[in-house]
Amino acid sequence: MRNALGLMLASLVAAVAIAGVWFWTSSPRADASPPQTVAARTPDPLPAGAAKDDVDTTAALSKRADATAPTAQPAAAPAPAAVPAPVTAAPKQACANPDALGVSRTVVVDTTGGPGFGFLQYKQYDFLTDKEVVLTFDDGPWPTTPAVLKALADECTKAVFFPIGLHTTYHPDILRQVLAAGHTIGAHTWSHAHLANKKITEQQAKDEIEKGFSAVKIALGTDPAPFFRFPALAHTPATTAYLGSRNIAMFSVDVDSNDFKSKSADEVTTNVMTKLEKQGKGIILMHDLQKHTAQALPTLLRRLKAGGYKVVWMKPKTQLETLPEYDAMMTKIEKPNTAGRPVGNVVQTVAE
């Protein structure tokens, strides 16, 4: 009797234990988290600075995983996201001249609507402070341009160049030297045509502008800056409106070197410094195809430094997208053959 009682008691204890285990494993727990599938998992945050394409790619990969992942099994823990390699900025080349004129500041120009610079004609944007100057050169590229580039490099300073389209077909290698030196390159028409001439139609003026920019692009192999200077500073309401529609900035002048009619390098330097002392600041107009300008530039830059003037370098927010029809036109331009004729037989100095 006692043995039977013991057996009944043991069976009862075992049944209670089994029921407890069943209750524990089948009841929900407040602190339990359901297993996550790839579809339900919150995506890992993207690294700072990730591009929109990165976001789109991440979403596409998640959708692909959703379609192929088994629904009855929890997804494996995601592999840690790869850390993007840091982008190392190109080292800035140190200036070899400790007393160089240099560049005081760089300004980025938003050319939307075709703003104008240079108080001789455009007075809306007074962005230069006292003793600040912008160096600009027209009419290149020419065999004198490398001497101008050397003078600028010796002083570790930057300028804006407005080349003539036709000249770029003569000396594309020289224009590429301007680009390699890091200067800003705009355009100065195709043939240096006077666009305010009444004999030039609006279409011809447009052609001069666009052919000039496309010629620069063909020579450089890259888009030019949307910076333009009118030959002889001669604009019309129609040409300024057209440049505005193309979001091309117009450049006039504050200080004209008059180097195209100067008789010596000293005269070029004197013209610039005399006008600067009166103006106090401004955009300086020079011509890199002028021999006297190339000769004057080393002294002129030293005079600017000694006078406390500082160079402001202008560059565009975005480059100009040239028009395909003009690009095609310029690629068909036959390059001039000058190998058989020395320069002295073509261009002679008759007075100095």
Side-chain angles (χ1 to χ4, degrees):
M1 180 73 171
R2 184 178 298 169
N3 289 339
L5 240 130
L7 286 171
M8 290 176 61
L9 184 59
S11 297
L12 184 60
V13 170
V16 170
I18 291 170
V21 171
W22 177 87
F23 179 82
W24 177 258
T25 56
S26 61
S27 299
R29 292 176 54 193
D31 60 344
S33 299
Q36 292 184 321
T37 63
V38 173
R41 179 172 56 84
T42 302
D44 297 331
L46 290 171
K52 180 181 183 297
D53 289 344
D54 296 332
V55 177
D56 292 342
T57 302
T58 302
L61 289 175
S62 294
K63 290 178 182 177
R64 189 183 309 164
D66 296 345
T68 58
T71 56
Q73 296 179 358
V83 178
V87 178
T88 305
K92 186 177 180 181
Q93 188 173 0
C95 181
N97 180 0
D99 190 41
L101 175 62
V103 173
S104 173
R105 65 187 175 108
T106 299
V107 297
V108 175
V109 181
D110 183 349
T111 62
T112 302
F117 302 97
F119 264 47
L120 182 64
Q121 292 167 292
Y122 314 117
K123 298 177 169 53
Q124 185 175 359
Y125 299 103
D126 187 13
F127 69 99
L128 296 176
T129 63
D130 189 44
K131 294 270 186 176
E132 285 188 334
V133 299
V134 177
L135 305 174
T136 68
F137 296 90
D138 289 6
D139 292 0
W142 208 246
T144 46
T145 304
V148 170
L149 294 176
K150 183 181 185 307
L152 295 171
D154 288 345
E155 291 293 335
C156 303
T157 194
K158 301 290 184 185
V160 182
F161 286 77
F162 297 95
I164 295 172
L166 186 59
H167 289 180
T168 70
T169 67
Y170 300 156
H171 307 290
D173 55 327
I174 294 178
L175 190 63
R176 288 192 287 270
Q177 292 178 35
V178 180
L179 180 66
H183 301 287
T184 302
I185 303 175
H188 194 43
T189 71
W190 162 246
S191 67
H192 206 264
H194 194 300
L195 300 189
N197 189 323
K198 294 182 180 179
K199 295 181 180 181
I200 293 182
T201 66
E202 288 188 21
Q203 182 60 48
Q204 289 172 329
K206 172 185 173 181
D207 291 344
E208 276 285 331
I209 293 168
E210 296 295 352
K211 285 169 65 177
F213 277 112
S214 288
V216 171
K217 177 180 179 176
I218 298 302
L220 294 178
T222 190
D223 292 325
F227 288 1
F228 180 83
R229 181 175 271 148
F230 288 97
L233 306 178
H235 62 198
T236 65
T239 53
T240 56
Y242 180 73
L243 291 173
S245 72
R246 293 279 282 123
N247 296 322
I248 297 171
M250 301 171 291
F251 279 71
S252 185
V253 60
D254 296 296
V255 174
D256 189 346
S257 67
N258 285 323
D259 53 357
F260 65 98
K261 58 184 179 182
S262 296
K263 297 180 180 180
S264 68
D266 288 343
E267 188 175 344
V268 175
T269 302
T270 299
N271 285 343
V272 172
M273 296 308 300
T274 300
K275 293 177 181 179
L276 257 184
E277 288 170 7
K278 181 179 179 180
Q279 296 279 103
K281 62 179 183 179
I283 296 172
I284 303 174
L285 168 60
M286 295 173 278
H287 298 81
D288 52 310
L289 92 167
Q290 294 293 334
K291 177 181 69 173
H292 294 318
T293 299
Q295 294 171 341
L297 201 55
T299 298
L300 174 58
L301 296 178
R302 293 316 301 164
R303 289 279 301 275
L304 290 174
K305 171 73 174 180
Y309 292 96
K310 297 178 179 180
V311 172
V312 173
W313 178 37
M314 300 178 70
K315 63 180 185 178
K317 183 178 180 180
T318 57
Q319 299 299 105
L320 177 69
E321 291 187 14
T322 55
L323 300 181
E325 59 267 33
Y326 289 96
D327 291 346
M329 192 185 303
M330 290 299 97
T331 58
K332 296 177 182 178
I333 295 293
E334 183 178 356
K335 303 300 184 291
N337 181 10
T338 59
R341 303 183 66 192
V343 173
N345 292 344
V346 180
V347 180
Q348 296 183 344
T349 299
V350 295
E352 292 193 43

